[in-house]
Every structure is written in C-alpha cells, then in structure tokens.
Amino acid sequence: AQSVTQLGSHVSVSEGALVLLRCNYSSSVPPYLFWYVQYPNQGLQLLLKYTSAATLVKGINGFEAEFKKSETSFHLTKPSAHMRDAAEYFCAVTHTLAGGTSYGKLTFGQGTILTVHP
Amino acid sequence: DTEVTQTPKHLVMGMTNKKSLKCEQHMGHRAMYWYKQKAKKPPELMFVYSYEKLSINESVPSRFSPECPNSSLLNLHLHALQPEDSALYLCASSPGVTLSSYEQYFGPGTRLTVT
C-alpha cells in the first residue's frame, strides 16, 4: 500500500525566506505524487503533480518539488515566501493497484501548516 | 473551466432532518468523489463514482447516501446524522479513475454542523 509522511505539522518562515515542506512516500510501485494547498475554509487546490515525466516539477504560485527516488522524497519548495502562501499543504499519493490502475484513491499526508511572518 | 461547485456553502441540521449536498462540474470528467474532512485532519475518502456508477464505498454509514444523476452532478443525501458527522464535505472530480496520474479537482466544500 502507498502512504506519505509529512515531516513537521507546522512550519514558520519570514516573508522572503525559503519555504521547504517535507514529504516522504512509501510505495512498492512507481508512485504518482501530488501537492495540494488548502486556504482557511476552502477546498483543496492542486499545486503540482509528479507522474514520472520529470523529476523536478514546477507548479503554480512559484512552487516546485523534486522527486528523489533514492530518498523516497517529494519535498515542496519556494525560493521566497509571500504572506499569501500562509495555508495548509497536503502531500498525497495515488493508491496504485496491481496493473497500475488507481480507482480514484488518494492517500493524503497529515498536512503542514505554513505560517509566514512579516 | 476547472471549477467544481458545491452548494450549500454552510448547512446546519438537526439529527432528525433530511438534507442534501450538491456538487457540479462541467469539465467533462467521468469520476466524482465525496470526501469528509474534520478539523486539522486530511480529507478522508467516502465515495467514488466512475461513469455514474458507484465504484468505491469506504464503509460509510448508511445515513450518508450518494447519488450521481448524470456525469456532471453528484449529490450526497443526509439522514439521521450524528453530531460527530459535523465536518467539511468536499467534492472532487477527475478525468477518470483508471490512471494513477489523474489529478483530482476539489470544490470549496460544504461546512456541515449537526445539532
């Protein structure tokens, strides 16, 4: 079964500082990985996804993530934090069944709340 | 248009009421989902519809009854809920379910309070 672990339930940075949100996955088959952002009282918005085409994935709002198979990681980064980046971030992996199908099951990490200080 | 809409935005209901949540997408997606999200927790999958047929029920209590009238609409009928069912209910859609690479697009959610 696939799973993801997000290290750090809360991350606090200053405006303009580097953002690094950590995600490690566990999967017996090549994973498909996603980062979502959730602003207070809203739904989830897809930031980016990894589907094996390229290990460095660029997403919206200046975020990117690098897939590292040797480290089983898919950390999310942004060079310079903005106040508007304050939100909760979820890493997720598709639950891949035998034969590579998904049947729609996403497994989420526990989430990381990002706080940005002026 | 990559929008999934949900109504109502907020819902307060008593334990004896019957209510419905609605979800709509016009992206031509053939898979739709219901998730439940408690405060400070990730979303938990409840149901998956693929081509208007229920393909996954994650052992959800029968007081939650999903319905997919057509490929654009998804309903969640609620009856005899408990206070612990209070949560944010999220709808999502994706192009299909057969490829693990398909991303899901989420609606803004319905905040449900059961009194």
Side-chain angles (χ1 to χ4, degrees):
Chain A
Q2 289 76 37
S3 66
V4 290
T5 302
Q6 291 183 241
L7 300 174
S9 57
H10 289 80
V11 170
S12 181
V13 301
S14 298
E15 194 172 18
L18 171 72
V19 175
L20 171 61
L21 305 182
R22 300 176 188 273
C23 173
N24 287 88
Y25 69 90
S26 171
S27 177
S28 58
V29 297
Y32 294 101
L33 295 157
F34 307 83
W35 274 102
Y36 284 88
V37 61
Q38 186 174 33
Y39 299 100
N41 298 311
Q42 294 188 27
L44 278 70
Q45 182 182 14
L46 180 69
L47 280 176
L48 49 80
K49 69 175 184 180
Y50 168 75
T51 57
S52 76
T55 56
L56 183 61
V57 182
K58 293 190 184 299
I60 62 171
N61 302 340
F63 284 94
E64 63 182 36
E66 186 171 8
F67 175 76
K68 291 187 177 179
K69 186 177 179 180
S70 60
E71 299 176 9
T72 61
S73 69
F74 190 56
H75 301 331
L76 183 70
T77 61
K78 182 173 180 178
S80 177
H82 291 274
M83 297 293 290
R84 62 177 175 264
D85 296 325
E88 186 159 21
Y89 292 79
F90 292 98
C91 183
V93 63
T94 305
H95 182 84
T96 305
L97 304 173
T101 59
S102 163
Y103 287 97
K105 292 195 69 168
L106 262 182
T107 299
F108 288 91
Q110 289 301 302
T112 298
I113 296 174
L114 176 66
T115 303
V116 182
H117 297 287
Chain B
D1 182 10
T2 57
E3 191 179 22
V4 176
T5 59
Q6 291 187 242
T7 55
K9 207 173 171 66
H10 299 275
L11 179 62
V12 179
M13 59 185 292
M15 289 190 283
T16 58
N17 291 158
K18 284 186 182 181
K19 296 286 184 184
S20 296
L21 309 185
K22 295 185 185 304
C23 174
E24 191 166 4
Q25 58 88 14
H26 294 289
M27 294 178 277
H29 288 174
R30 303 316 301 263
M32 296 185 77
Y33 311 77
W34 280 115
Y35 288 85
K36 174 182 178 179
Q37 186 179 26
K38 302 283 278 184
K40 302 189 189 307
K41 294 290 187 183
E44 295 177 357
L45 183 66
M46 300 174 72
F47 303 104
V48 180
Y49 273 83
S50 175
Y51 289 85
E52 299 154 50
K53 290 192 184 335
L54 183 64
S55 63
I56 295 179
N57 176 343
E58 290 285 278
S59 303
V60 179
S62 59
R63 57 185 183 270
F64 295 91
S65 176
E67 179 196 20
C68 190
N70 60 57
S71 60
S72 300
L73 290 173
L74 186 65
N75 298 321
L76 186 62
H77 302 297
L78 314 172
H79 173 55
L81 295 192
Q82 304 297 309
E84 59 265 29
D85 295 322
S86 299
L88 181 67
Y89 287 83
L90 294 164
C91 174
S93 71
S94 69
V97 295
T98 54
L99 282 185
S100 300
S101 59
Y102 284 144
E103 64 266 32
Q104 296 181 20
Y105 294 87
F106 285 79
T110 293
R111 176 73 61 189
L112 174 68
T113 303
V114 181
T115 61

